[in-house]
Amino acid sequence: MKVEPQRSCIGCGEKKDKKDLLRIVRSLEGEYAVDLQGRKNGRGAYLCKNHSCLEKAEKKKAFFRSFKEAIPKEDLDRLREEIKEIAK
């Protein structure tokens, strides 16, 4: 039996199966995107598929710790909209 990899949500800190979380990735060019397949190249951070974890991650400055830089406001707004669509 295969064991599913576990990851922690940067918002709530809860450990879940990797497939149950959203991966936010920063590409080598510095672009941020939601990686639904979990296969894009770049630095990644994981979030639960709900809007409240995104807000918690922003308040805790978890994106800054994960990516070693602040996410630009326009990228954060775009990610927020993408996560809202996915959560529906």
Side-chain angles (χ1 to χ4, degrees):
M1 183 165 71
K2 185 176 179 183
V3 176
E4 186 69 33
Q6 298 279 301
R7 298 291 183 265
S8 295
C9 171
I10 63 171
C12 65
E14 189 176 324
K15 281 194 175 272
K16 294 185 178 182
D17 288 345
K18 184 178 171 181
K19 65 179 178 176
D20 294 334
L21 297 171
L22 291 174
R23 183 173 184 246
I24 309 298
V25 65
R26 182 188 68 206
S27 68
L28 297 175
E29 294 81 32
E31 298 173 8
Y32 293 89
V34 176
D35 182 11
L36 295 175
Q37 281 74 37
R39 297 182 182 262
K40 289 184 180 179
N41 289 334
R43 178 94 176 141
Y46 292 87
L47 277 174
C48 294
K49 295 179 182 178
N50 59 47
H51 190 68
S52 63
C53 283
L54 175 66
E55 291 174 357
K56 288 177 190 176
E58 289 179 62
K59 286 181 185 177
K60 293 175 16 178
K61 299 184 180 175
F63 288 113
F64 184 80
R65 282 193 302 276
S66 295
F67 296 118
K68 311 287 192 270
E69 68 180 19
I71 296 179
K73 181 165 175 32
E74 56 273 359
D75 287 342
L76 195 56
D77 291 339
R78 187 177 41 78
L79 288 173
R80 187 177 292 118
E81 292 301 318
E82 286 183 48
I83 291 171
K84 280 183 186 178
E85 289 297 317
I86 292 167
K88 288 182 181 178

